[in-house]
């Protein structure tokens, strides 16, 4: 049965994580802890907060830890129960009870569009959300709810956009847009996946959140391989730009943490740690002292 309500989230998680080797030699990059939670849990929590309790993860080889993380851990639970360690037991239960988790393997890693196409059977003929694990969106700045609202009101597909430094535009899908009456909503007139440096048609980048019309599936079946020889979701959406009701963008101005490479990952851990009520009050003054000591060292005053 067709429904306009978005209830399902699809999370592609089949990437090899080569940027984090050797950490990711035997462990999926999605399990890297951001403070004390694996990155993937933030993403599942975000989906659930937006009302999407049905989560399909597109995985691959070496990804068993993902399934284990969202499953029962009976020995561990028993141990914590015996010790009366209620808080840690709650943390263990939380990731198990979070959502209805489903998994499908991608097989050949042929790109993001190919990964999303693997969700077709599970999703059926309904709009659905796609969340990419490298981007974490601060729960205080809800983005997905807004995107679901815009998709409901305008129809078609919706992508999340963010203004980026033009020098980094070649790392993203880039959109050309026209304004709408809503300050944070644009109509997309063109999309290009990772334009070569200096050729981006704008500085509006797709960040890893999508609300997609199921009409994207037949397009993904036929779209030609694009950048990197891969089936690109951006290319499929570009084909839908001129098919009514088209593709819209929600411009996100909130807090986003990129965990896709080592430097951004470090920044994300620090940003999230200083904001934590259990760690921030101790961590932040230490960080300030550390930075001050480094500055002093650089200015040559220490040891002189
Ligand atoms: C993917 C998309 C790209 C988007 C980016 C956001 O690229 O293909 O359009 O801008 O995610 O993080 P990836 O970073 O997976 O190569």
């Amino acid at each position: 049965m067709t429904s306009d309500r978005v209830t399902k989230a699809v999370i592609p998680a089949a990437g090899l994580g080569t940027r984090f080797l050797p950490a990711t030699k035997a462990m999926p990059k999605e399990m890297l802890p951001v403070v004390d939670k694996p990155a993937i849990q933030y993403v599942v929590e975000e989906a659930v907060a937006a009302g999407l309790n049905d989560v399909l993860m597109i995985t691959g080889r070496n990804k068993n830890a993902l399934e284990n993380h969202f499953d029962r851990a009976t020995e561990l639970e028993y141990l914590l129960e015996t010790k009366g360690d209620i808080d840690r037991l709650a943390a263990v239960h939380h990731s198990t009870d979070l959502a209805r988790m489903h998994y499908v393997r991608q097989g050949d890693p042929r790109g993001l569009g190919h990964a999303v196409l693997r969700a077709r059977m599970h999703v059926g003929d309904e709009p659905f959300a796609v969340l990419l694990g490298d981007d974490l969106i601060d729960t205080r700045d809800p983005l997905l709810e807004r995107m679901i609202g815009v998709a409901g009101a305008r129809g078609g597909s919706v992508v999340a956009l963010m203004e980026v430094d033009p020098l980094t535009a070649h790392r993203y899908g880039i959109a050309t847009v026209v304004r709408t009456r809503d300050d944070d909503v644009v109509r997309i007139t063109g999309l290009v996946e990772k334009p070569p440096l200096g050729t981006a048609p704008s500085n509006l980048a797709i960040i890893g959140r999508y609300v997609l019309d199921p009409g994207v599936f037949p397009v993904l079946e036929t779209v030609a391989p694009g950048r990197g020889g891969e089936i690109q979701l951006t290319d499929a959406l570009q084909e839908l730009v001129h098919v009514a009701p088209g593709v819209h963008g929600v411009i996100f101005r909130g807090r986003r943490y990129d965990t896709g490479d080592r430097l951004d990952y470090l920044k994300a851990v620090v940003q999230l740690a200083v904001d934590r009520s259990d760690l921030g009050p101790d961590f932040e003054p230490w960080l300030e002292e550390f930075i001050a000591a480094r500055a002093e060292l650089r200015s040559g005053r220490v040891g002189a």
Side-chain angles (χ1 to χ4, degrees):
M1 206 181 74
T2 310
S3 154
D4 283 343
R5 226 163 64 81
V6 185
T7 60
K8 290 176 182 152
V10 173
I11 304 182
L16 294 176
T18 48
R19 288 183 197 157
F20 286 92
L21 283 170
T24 50
K25 186 179 171 194
M27 180 187 86
K29 70 168 172 175
E30 293 80 6
M31 288 302 293
L32 286 170
V34 178
V35 188
D36 53 5
K37 248 193 311 194
I40 193 73
Q41 189 174 329
Y42 289 84
V43 182
V44 174
E45 284 174 355
E46 182 193 335
V48 171
L52 313 179
N53 295 304
D54 182 305
V55 175
L56 174 70
M57 226 171 257
I58 317 292
T59 69
R61 292 171 59 77
N62 277 340
K63 299 286 182 170
N64 293 344
L66 291 175
E67 296 193 32
N68 291 341
H69 183 70
F70 294 102
D71 196 1
R72 296 289 301 270
T74 38
E75 276 178 32
L76 182 62
E77 288 169 33
Y78 177 73
L79 189 82
L80 293 170
E81 252 163 42
T82 328
K83 281 187 178 174
D85 195 339
I86 303 303
D87 289 346
R88 291 200 175 91
L89 185 62
V92 169
H93 281 157
H94 176 66
S95 57
T96 316
D97 300 337
L98 205 48
R100 275 181 288 131
M101 302 295 300
H102 308 271
Y103 303 88
V104 59
R105 282 196 180 205
Q106 187 176 1
D108 292 333
R110 289 176 54 211
L112 178 59
H114 179 255
V116 170
L117 191 51
R118 301 273 74 75
R120 188 174 194 173
M121 283 283 279
H122 182 82
V123 165
D125 199 19
E126 292 173 18
F128 63 104
V130 173
L131 294 86
L132 305 188
D134 285 349
D135 288 302
L136 305 185
I137 302 295
D138 200 300
T139 43
R140 292 165 293 183
D141 304 316
L143 167 63
L144 208 49
E145 288 94 323
R146 176 69 181 140
M147 294 173 70
I148 291 170
V150 170
R154 295 177 182 265
S157 294
V158 176
V159 302
L161 298 174
M162 201 163 181
E163 285 186 20
V164 295
D165 178 346
L167 289 173
T168 65
H170 63 284
R171 291 203 238 140
Y172 298 95
I174 299 291
T176 38
V177 305
V178 291
R179 290 164 166 277
T180 70
R181 267 175 297 170
D182 292 318
D183 169 55
D184 63 335
V185 181
V186 290
R187 188 168 61 76
I188 293 184
T189 55
L191 287 167
V192 52
E193 178 67 7
K194 303 200 178 87
L197 194 61
T199 68
S202 86
N203 68 338
L204 282 177
I206 303 177
I207 52 171
R209 299 293 179 272
Y210 308 77
V211 175
L212 298 177
D213 182 272
V216 75
F217 289 128
V219 182
L220 284 169
E221 293 273 12
T222 57
V223 72
R227 184 145 300 276
E230 296 188 333
I231 308 293
Q232 297 291 353
L233 181 57
T234 306
D235 295 345
L237 289 172
Q238 162 62 21
E239 290 199 19
L240 292 169
V241 158
H242 300 293
V243 182
V247 180
H248 287 87
V250 166
I251 300 186
F252 183 60
R253 300 188 175 99
R255 285 159 282 196
R256 159 186 175 250
Y257 313 99
D258 186 351
T259 62
D261 69 29
R262 292 174 304 170
L263 185 60
D264 287 330
Y265 169 79
L266 278 176
K267 292 179 192 170
V269 173
V270 172
Q271 283 171 295
L272 285 159
V274 292
D275 268 356
R276 282 269 298 255
S277 60
D278 54 345
L279 295 166
D282 288 331
F283 181 52
E284 194 163 5
W286 173 84
L287 191 61
E288 280 163 7
E289 267 172 47
F290 176 72
I291 303 295
R294 300 278 300 179
E296 215 170 308
L297 203 61
R298 265 201 308 273
S299 72
R301 270 178 279 146
V302 166

